[in-house]
Amino acid sequence: MAASSGPRTILLTGAAGGLGTLMRELLPSHGYELRLLDVRPVDGAPDAIVADLNDTEALRAAVRDVDGVLHLAGISLESTFDKILESNIRGTYHLFDSVRAEAERRGGPAPRVVFASSNHAIGFTPRPRVEDGDPLVPVSTLRRPDTYYGLSKSFGEDLAQFHWDKFGIETVSVRIGSCFKEPTDVRMMSVWLSPADGARLFHAALTAKDVGHTVVYGSSANTRLWWDLSGARALGYDPQDDSEVYADKLLAEFGPLSDDNPAHLHMGGRFVDDPPIWPY
């Protein structure tokens, strides 16, 4: 898929969160003007829209005249089903419905959506033993969510497919690994997405032509990579970073991956048996 000149005014949901904060800093260098939305005030951004994802009036105003949406909002850890339902499932539905309504208002193409999916949509997939010759995990692998959180990401991917098939809304669903300034343990080295590569990937997803609904994995070009990045590269993504530069430090602190550690057996890590809980 060749890149187009692409969108320039982007609604960034979840702008006050960890990933949203990183993208607020990095995406303008790719030529974007950002319209910010979060349920909490955004530090340093008095013009940000403060609204819940279930505030349909605020969402419809937020998507008005934008070229694309980077949808990062929602609960990013495990929680009760009711909380996940309201934030990640109903909220994501309202986001897509607002984009559909905006396209109807315009009488033309809908804004492109980039949806923050997650590796936890396939969390129960056994980690590949790439060092022993196992193939990289393809995007087509069966979804096996590890939590209500992972289940909500599976729903979001299906919702995106539905909106493409029924309404022609283009979406790239990015199964993000762990986007932090640096990996914090040995497992994360396989799924780490550097913030700079995150911005490169989101830019590619916003500008590639004819994506329909495309699902890709989101990580850097890690030496210890577990999944197939060919779909992301086909969008024009060219990752520049590799977690291997942190290997000596992390291996000295934690030791290598072990089959005695349940968090090392599956793609979802500790989400499979001891997930971190959303504090709010």
Side-chain angles (χ1 to χ4, degrees):
M1 286 175 257
S4 68
S5 58
R8 282 294 174 262
T9 303
I10 300 300
L11 173 65
L12 174 62
T13 73
L19 182 54
T21 298
L22 293 169
M23 292 306 109
R24 283 181 7 232
E25 297 169 355
L26 292 166
L27 283 174
S29 67
H30 291 271
Y32 295 104
E33 294 182 4
L34 302 180
R35 183 179 298 171
L36 308 179
L37 181 146
D38 201 288
V39 70
R40 297 175 293 162
V42 180
D43 287 345
D47 294 334
I49 301 164
V50 179
D52 186 272
L53 289 173
N54 292 310
D55 184 341
T56 56
E57 183 176 346
L59 273 182
R60 292 199 178 193
V63 300
R64 192 177 183 91
D65 296 323
V66 301
D67 300 300
V69 178
L70 177 54
H71 182 43
L72 306 180
I75 292 172
S76 60
L77 302 172
E78 181 61 318
S79 189
T80 65
F81 179 75
D82 286 342
K83 288 181 179 179
I84 293 286
L85 175 65
E86 288 305 306
S87 179
N88 293 18
I89 295 178
R90 293 189 193 279
T92 299
Y93 162 73
H94 287 138
L95 184 281
F96 272 95
D97 194 55
S98 296
V99 171
R100 178 204 57 76
E102 172 64 8
E104 186 175 281
R105 184 194 70 82
R106 295 179 189 181
R112 169 80 57 85
V113 179
V114 176
F115 168 62
S117 186
S118 171
N119 62 301
H120 297 292
I122 58 162
F124 270 108
T125 303
R127 70 171 173 89
R129 311 302 174 105
V130 177
E131 65 278 8
D132 295 331
D134 285 357
L136 297 174
V137 175
V139 164
S140 60
T141 195
L142 180 70
R143 288 202 305 249
R144 298 177 63 178
D146 52 27
T147 43
Y148 293 133
Y149 167 71
L151 189 66
S152 75
K153 296 304 182 178
S154 293
F155 171 82
E157 291 183 11
D158 284 340
L159 190 69
Q161 185 66 54
F162 170 76
H163 277 80
W164 164 242
D165 290 335
K166 194 168 185 70
F167 303 114
I169 295 171
E170 290 196 309
T171 300
V172 178
S173 293
V174 182
R175 290 180 182 165
I176 300 168
S178 298
C179 189
F180 297 99
K181 290 186 177 180
E182 59 182 69
T184 58
D185 60 33
V186 174
R187 177 194 166 275
M188 195 184 292
M189 291 175 62
S190 296
V191 299
W192 180 62
L193 177 66
S194 74
D197 278 342
R200 293 182 187 104
L201 177 51
F202 293 142
H203 173 61
L206 286 162
T207 56
K209 287 185 177 180
D210 302 325
V211 298
H213 174 231
T214 298
V215 181
V216 302
Y217 290 119
S219 73
S220 291
N222 303 317
T223 297
R224 300 167 191 249
L225 188 66
W226 285 346
W227 51 45
D228 182 3
L229 288 180
S230 61
R233 292 181 185 276
L235 299 175
Y237 173 51
D238 183 20
Q240 300 296 307
D241 298 319
D242 184 346
S243 63
E244 201 65 18
V245 297
Y246 303 101
D248 289 346
K249 179 178 72 171
L250 292 172
L251 286 167
E253 182 175 355
F254 297 104
L257 296 180
S258 168
D259 288 348
D260 294 329
N261 186 337
H264 294 170
L265 297 178
H266 298 90
M267 298 290 289
R270 62 178 289 208
F271 275 62
V272 168
D273 70 333
D274 185 27
I277 304 300
W278 187 248
Y280 306 110

